[in-house]
Amino acid sequence: MGTERRTINYNVGALVVFFISIGAAAIVYAVGIISFNLFNLPAWVFGPLGVYTLIYSIIAGKDWTYYLVWGTIMVAIAIASALYYDITYIIIVIGILVIILAIIGLVAYWRSKK
């Protein structure tokens, strides 16, 4: 009787991460730790989901570029939403995102040539 390792499907993990982040946001706002701000809601959703997608891209191995790109985009949306207009300009986050996506594309191109 060997132990068989089951791989997690992206959809299942993403759904769990989504509900955990929404639940955590509800608790934080209900207790009053942070005052409610509508502009911060995308950070609660896209932040954990983006980090999960980035981790999944490293662990899964299949379609790693796809998950890496979308994870990076989701994390950029979360950062822009969390820091919104008071701290940083959205254009700076978009510029950094474009640079990171170009690097990911270059690495994917180099890996496909080997």
Side-chain angles (χ1 to χ4, degrees), residues 20-42:
I20 288 174
S21 63
I22 294 298
I27 291 170
V28 165
Y29 287 136
V31 173
I33 296 173
I34 299 174
S35 62
F36 180 74
N37 187 346
L38 189 61
F39 290 114
N40 289 340
L41 284 180

Side-chain angles (χ1 to χ4, degrees), residues 20-68:
I20 288 174
S21 63
I22 294 298
I27 291 170
V28 165
Y29 287 136
V31 173
I33 296 173
I34 299 174
S35 62
F36 180 74
N37 187 346
L38 189 61
F39 290 114
N40 289 340
L41 284 180
W44 285 99
V45 174
F46 290 116
L49 194 58
V51 171
Y52 168 74
T53 305
L54 289 174
I55 292 171
Y56 185 83
S57 73
I58 296 168
I59 294 173
K62 59 179 180 179
D63 297 332
W64 68 273
T65 309
Y66 175 80
Y67 292 108
L68 189 63

Side-chain angles (χ1 to χ4, degrees), residues 64-66 68-69 72 97-113:
W64 68 273
T65 309
Y66 175 80
L68 189 63
V69 166
T72 305
L97 175 64
V98 168
I99 292 170
I100 291 172
L101 291 177
I103 292 170
I104 291 170
L106 187 62
V107 169
Y109 176 74
W110 284 341
R111 286 186 73 180
S112 70
K113 289 294 182 181

Side-chain angles (χ1 to χ4, degrees), residues 11-21:
N11 301 338
V12 174
L15 195 61
V16 168
V17 169
F18 175 76
F19 283 120
I20 288 174
S21 63

